[in-house]
PDB file of all heavy atoms in Angstrom:
ATOM      1  N   LYS A 147     -28.800  14.456  14.225  1.00  0.00           N
ATOM      2  CA  LYS A 147     -28.617  13.009  14.420  1.00  0.00           C
ATOM      3  C   LYS A 147     -27.651  12.434  13.335  1.00  0.00           C
ATOM      4  O   LYS A 147     -26.837  11.581  13.620  1.00  0.00           O
ATOM      5  CB  LYS A 147     -29.991  12.326  14.321  1.00  0.00           C
ATOM      6  CG  LYS A 147     -30.080  11.003  14.993  1.00  0.00           C
ATOM      7  CD  LYS A 147     -31.528  10.561  15.012  1.00  0.00           C
ATOM      8  CE  LYS A 147     -31.756   9.571  16.074  1.00  0.00           C
ATOM      9  NZ  LYS A 147     -32.378   9.946  17.274  1.00  0.00           N
ATOM     10  N   ASP A 148     -27.787  12.951  12.103  1.00  0.00           N
ATOM     11  CA  ASP A 148     -26.904  12.503  11.039  1.00  0.00           C
ATOM     12  C   ASP A 148     -25.443  12.862  11.276  1.00  0.00           C
ATOM     13  O   ASP A 148     -24.534  12.053  11.011  1.00  0.00           O
ATOM     14  CB  ASP A 148     -27.361  13.105   9.687  1.00  0.00           C
ATOM     15  CG  ASP A 148     -28.702  12.530   9.230  1.00  0.00           C
ATOM     16  OD1 ASP A 148     -29.073  11.417   9.679  1.00  0.00           O
ATOM     17  OD2 ASP A 148     -29.378  13.188   8.432  1.00  0.00           O
ATOM     18  N   ASP A 149     -25.241  14.079  11.788  1.00  0.00           N
ATOM     19  CA  ASP A 149     -23.837  14.506  12.078  1.00  0.00           C
ATOM     20  C   ASP A 149     -23.252  13.651  13.164  1.00  0.00           C
ATOM     21  O   ASP A 149     -22.120  13.206  13.071  1.00  0.00           O
ATOM     22  CB  ASP A 149     -23.810  15.983  12.495  1.00  0.00           C
ATOM     23  CG  ASP A 149     -24.029  16.926  11.321  1.00  0.00           C
ATOM     24  OD1 ASP A 149     -23.850  16.476  10.151  1.00  0.00           O
ATOM     25  OD2 ASP A 149     -24.392  18.073  11.569  1.00  0.00           O
ATOM     26  N   VAL A 150     -24.026  13.404  14.206  1.00  0.00           N
ATOM     27  CA  VAL A 150     -23.560  12.565  15.322  1.00  0.00           C
ATOM     28  C   VAL A 150     -23.243  11.155  14.796  1.00  0.00           C
ATOM     29  O   VAL A 150     -22.204  10.591  15.139  1.00  0.00           O
ATOM     30  CB  VAL A 150     -24.578  12.518  16.469  1.00  0.00           C
ATOM     31  CG1 VAL A 150     -24.191  11.487  17.523  1.00  0.00           C
ATOM     32  CG2 VAL A 150     -24.731  13.902  17.134  1.00  0.00           C
ATOM     33  N   PHE A 151     -24.088  10.622  13.983  1.00  0.00           N
ATOM     34  CA  PHE A 151     -23.866   9.294  13.390  1.00  0.00           C
ATOM     35  C   PHE A 151     -22.566   9.270  12.603  1.00  0.00           C
ATOM     36  O   PHE A 151     -21.758   8.343  12.745  1.00  0.00           O
ATOM     37  CB  PHE A 151     -25.044   8.886  12.529  1.00  0.00           C
ATOM     38  CG  PHE A 151     -24.898   7.515  11.900  1.00  0.00           C
ATOM     39  CD1 PHE A 151     -25.073   6.383  12.619  1.00  0.00           C
ATOM     40  CD2 PHE A 151     -24.496   7.430  10.560  1.00  0.00           C
ATOM     41  CE1 PHE A 151     -24.910   5.127  12.021  1.00  0.00           C
ATOM     42  CE2 PHE A 151     -24.308   6.195   9.992  1.00  0.00           C
ATOM     43  CZ  PHE A 151     -24.545   5.021  10.700  1.00  0.00           C
ATOM     44  N   GLU A 152     -22.363  10.268  11.774  1.00  0.00           N
ATOM     45  CA  GLU A 152     -21.157  10.356  10.938  1.00  0.00           C
ATOM     46  C   GLU A 152     -19.898  10.472  11.821  1.00  0.00           C
ATOM     47  O   GLU A 152     -18.905   9.814  11.583  1.00  0.00           O
ATOM     48  CB  GLU A 152     -21.245  11.552   9.982  1.00  0.00           C
ATOM     49  CG  GLU A 152     -19.993  11.803   9.174  1.00  0.00           C
ATOM     50  CD  GLU A 152     -19.688  10.684   8.174  1.00  0.00           C
ATOM     51  OE1 GLU A 152     -20.535   9.868   7.891  1.00  0.00           O
ATOM     52  OE2 GLU A 152     -18.555  10.673   7.666  1.00  0.00           O
ATOM     53  N   TYR A 153     -19.942  11.315  12.836  1.00  0.00           N
ATOM     54  CA  TYR A 153     -18.810  11.511  13.716  1.00  0.00           C
ATOM     55  C   TYR A 153     -18.484  10.262  14.509  1.00  0.00           C
ATOM     56  O   TYR A 153     -17.344   9.903  14.742  1.00  0.00           O
ATOM     57  CB  TYR A 153     -19.013  12.698  14.644  1.00  0.00           C
ATOM     58  CG  TYR A 153     -19.170  14.038  13.884  1.00  0.00           C
ATOM     59  CD1 TYR A 153     -19.790  15.107  14.498  1.00  0.00           C
ATOM     60  CD2 TYR A 153     -18.711  14.205  12.600  1.00  0.00           C
ATOM     61  CE1 TYR A 153     -19.922  16.333  13.853  1.00  0.00           C
ATOM     62  CE2 TYR A 153     -18.826  15.396  11.948  1.00  0.00           C
ATOM     63  CZ  TYR A 153     -19.449  16.458  12.549  1.00  0.00           C
ATOM     64  OH  TYR A 153     -19.593  17.665  11.890  1.00  0.00           O
ATOM     65  N   LYS A 154     -19.536   9.534  14.934  1.00  0.00           N
ATOM     66  CA  LYS A 154     -19.313   8.280  15.617  1.00  0.00           C
ATOM     67  C   LYS A 154     -18.685   7.222  14.713  1.00  0.00           C
ATOM     68  O   LYS A 154     -17.854   6.430  15.161  1.00  0.00           O
ATOM     69  CB  LYS A 154     -20.640   7.752  16.225  1.00  0.00           C
ATOM     70  CG  LYS A 154     -21.079   8.482  17.457  1.00  0.00           C
ATOM     71  CD  LYS A 154     -22.316   7.906  18.070  1.00  0.00           C
ATOM     72  CE  LYS A 154     -22.694   8.608  19.380  1.00  0.00           C
ATOM     73  NZ  LYS A 154     -23.857   8.004  20.005  1.00  0.00           N
ATOM     74  N   ARG A 155     -19.071   7.246  13.449  1.00  0.00           N
ATOM     75  CA  ARG A 155     -18.470   6.334  12.484  1.00  0.00           C
ATOM     76  C   ARG A 155     -16.951   6.609  12.376  1.00  0.00           C
ATOM     77  O   ARG A 155     -16.141   5.676  12.360  1.00  0.00           O
ATOM     78  CB  ARG A 155     -19.131   6.511  11.099  1.00  0.00           C
ATOM     79  CG  ARG A 155     -18.573   5.572  10.031  1.00  0.00           C
ATOM     80  CD  ARG A 155     -19.038   5.941   8.641  1.00  0.00           C
ATOM     81  NE  ARG A 155     -18.574   7.237   8.197  1.00  0.00           N
ATOM     82  CZ  ARG A 155     -17.335   7.466   7.724  1.00  0.00           C
ATOM     83  NH1 ARG A 155     -16.452   6.493   7.631  1.00  0.00           N
ATOM     84  NH2 ARG A 155     -16.959   8.668   7.328  1.00  0.00           N
ATOM     85  N   ILE A 156     -16.616   7.862  12.355  1.00  0.00           N
ATOM     86  CA  ILE A 156     -15.196   8.250  12.294  1.00  0.00           C
ATOM     87  C   ILE A 156     -14.459   7.833  13.564  1.00  0.00           C
ATOM     88  O   ILE A 156     -13.325   7.336  13.505  1.00  0.00           O
ATOM     89  CB  ILE A 156     -15.054   9.777  12.043  1.00  0.00           C
ATOM     90  CG1 ILE A 156     -15.582  10.112  10.616  1.00  0.00           C
ATOM     91  CG2 ILE A 156     -13.591  10.240  12.203  1.00  0.00           C
ATOM     92  CD1 ILE A 156     -15.737  11.563  10.318  1.00  0.00           C
ATOM     93  N   ILE A 157     -15.110   7.998  14.716  1.00  0.00           N
ATOM     94  CA  ILE A 157     -14.503   7.589  15.987  1.00  0.00           C
ATOM     95  C   ILE A 157     -14.213   6.092  15.982  1.00  0.00           C
ATOM     96  O   ILE A 157     -13.185   5.640  16.475  1.00  0.00           O
ATOM     97  CB  ILE A 157     -15.398   7.953  17.184  1.00  0.00           C
ATOM     98  CG1 ILE A 157     -15.442   9.498  17.346  1.00  0.00           C
ATOM     99  CG2 ILE A 157     -14.931   7.347  18.477  1.00  0.00           C
ATOM    100  CD1 ILE A 157     -14.134  10.129  17.679  1.00  0.00           C
ATOM    101  N   HIS A 158     -15.136   5.321  15.437  1.00  0.00           N
ATOM    102  CA  HIS A 158     -14.917   3.857  15.366  1.00  0.00           C
ATOM    103  C   HIS A 158     -13.720   3.513  14.473  1.00  0.00           C
ATOM    104  O   HIS A 158     -13.053   2.497  14.735  1.00  0.00           O
ATOM    105  CB  HIS A 158     -16.154   3.148  14.871  1.00  0.00           C
ATOM    106  CG  HIS A 158     -17.227   3.008  15.892  1.00  0.00           C
ATOM    107  ND1 HIS A 158     -17.086   2.259  17.043  1.00  0.00           N
ATOM    108  CD2 HIS A 158     -18.474   3.554  15.984  1.00  0.00           C
ATOM    109  CE1 HIS A 158     -18.173   2.340  17.769  1.00  0.00           C
ATOM    110  NE2 HIS A 158     -19.052   3.139  17.141  1.00  0.00           N
ATOM    111  N   LEU A 159     -13.462   4.327  13.446  1.00  0.00           N
ATOM    112  CA  LEU A 159     -12.286   4.065  12.586  1.00  0.00           C
ATOM    113  C   LEU A 159     -10.986   4.411  13.282  1.00  0.00           C
ATOM    114  O   LEU A 159      -9.962   3.807  13.011  1.00  0.00           O
ATOM    115  CB  LEU A 159     -12.401   4.905  11.319  1.00  0.00           C
ATOM    116  CG  LEU A 159     -13.518   4.564  10.335  1.00  0.00           C
ATOM    117  CD1 LEU A 159     -13.542   5.579   9.196  1.00  0.00           C
ATOM    118  CD2 LEU A 159     -13.346   3.168   9.782  1.00  0.00           C
ATOM    119  N   ALA A 160     -11.029   5.405  14.162  1.00  0.00           N
ATOM    120  CA  ALA A 160      -9.824   5.935  14.792  1.00  0.00           C
ATOM    121  C   ALA A 160      -9.360   5.001  15.889  1.00  0.00           C
ATOM    122  O   ALA A 160     -10.150   4.365  16.598  1.00  0.00           O
ATOM    123  CB  ALA A 160     -10.079   7.322  15.347  1.00  0.00           C
ATOM    124  N   ASP A 161      -8.072   4.978  16.076  1.00  0.00           N
ATOM    125  CA  ASP A 161      -7.461   4.192  17.147  1.00  0.00           C
ATOM    126  C   ASP A 161      -7.079   5.164  18.277  1.00  0.00           C
ATOM    127  O   ASP A 161      -5.948   5.643  18.334  1.00  0.00           O
ATOM    128  CB  ASP A 161      -6.235   3.462  16.617  1.00  0.00           C
ATOM    129  CG  ASP A 161      -5.642   2.535  17.658  1.00  0.00           C
ATOM    130  OD1 ASP A 161      -6.392   2.094  18.535  1.00  0.00           O
ATOM    131  OD2 ASP A 161      -4.410   2.277  17.582  1.00  0.00           O
ATOM    132  N   ILE A 162      -8.061   5.443  19.114  1.00  0.00           N
ATOM    133  CA  ILE A 162      -7.843   6.388  20.227  1.00  0.00           C
ATOM    134  C   ILE A 162      -8.266   5.744  21.520  1.00  0.00           C
ATOM    135  O   ILE A 162      -9.166   4.871  21.539  1.00  0.00           O
ATOM    136  CB  ILE A 162      -8.603   7.712  20.024  1.00  0.00           C
ATOM    137  CG1 ILE A 162     -10.102   7.485  19.821  1.00  0.00           C
ATOM    138  CG2 ILE A 162      -8.034   8.479  18.874  1.00  0.00           C
ATOM    139  CD1 ILE A 162     -10.910   8.742  19.758  1.00  0.00           C
ATOM    140  N   LYS A 163      -7.666   6.180  22.610  1.00  0.00           N
ATOM    141  CA  LYS A 163      -8.013   5.596  23.908  1.00  0.00           C
ATOM    142  C   LYS A 163      -9.246   6.245  24.533  1.00  0.00           C
ATOM    143  O   LYS A 163      -9.881   5.654  25.369  1.00  0.00           O
ATOM    144  CB  LYS A 163      -6.808   5.670  24.869  1.00  0.00           C
ATOM    145  CG  LYS A 163      -5.925   6.842  24.709  1.00  0.00           C
ATOM    146  CD  LYS A 163      -4.674   6.761  25.546  1.00  0.00           C
ATOM    147  CE  LYS A 163      -3.886   7.931  25.137  1.00  0.00           C
ATOM    148  NZ  LYS A 163      -2.709   8.285  25.503  1.00  0.00           N
ATOM    149  N   GLU A 164      -9.592   7.436  24.104  1.00  0.00           N
ATOM    150  CA  GLU A 164     -10.726   8.162  24.677  1.00  0.00           C
ATOM    151  C   GLU A 164     -12.029   7.959  23.910  1.00  0.00           C
ATOM    152  O   GLU A 164     -12.842   8.839  23.802  1.00  0.00           O
ATOM    153  CB  GLU A 164     -10.440   9.684  24.779  1.00  0.00           C
ATOM    154  CG  GLU A 164      -9.281  10.047  25.631  1.00  0.00           C
ATOM    155  CD  GLU A 164      -8.041  10.384  24.815  1.00  0.00           C
ATOM    156  OE1 GLU A 164      -8.033  10.027  23.633  1.00  0.00           O
ATOM    157  OE2 GLU A 164      -7.125  10.973  25.360  1.00  0.00           O
ATOM    158  N   LYS A 165     -12.201   6.779  23.269  1.00  0.00           N
ATOM    159  CA  LYS A 165     -13.383   6.533  22.433  1.00  0.00           C
ATOM    160  C   LYS A 165     -14.686   6.772  23.219  1.00  0.00           C
ATOM    161  O   LYS A 165     -15.582   7.483  22.755  1.00  0.00           O
ATOM    162  CB  LYS A 165     -13.375   5.114  21.877  1.00  0.00           C
ATOM    163  CG  LYS A 165     -12.694   4.992  20.592  1.00  0.00           C
ATOM    164  CD  LYS A 165     -12.856   3.598  19.974  1.00  0.00           C
ATOM    165  CE  LYS A 165     -12.011   3.501  18.739  1.00  0.00           C
ATOM    166  NZ  LYS A 165     -12.142   2.217  18.071  1.00  0.00           N
TER     167      LYS A 165
END
Side-chain angles (χ1 to χ4, degrees):
K147 203 172 202 102
D148 291 338
D149 287 341
V150 171
F151 179 78
E152 176 66 15
Y153 298 158
K154 284 184 176 182
R155 182 192 64 80
I156 293 169
I157 292 296
H158 283 295
L159 292 175
D161 185 26
I162 56 173
K163 34 187 174 185
E164 297 103 343
K165 272 187 185 182

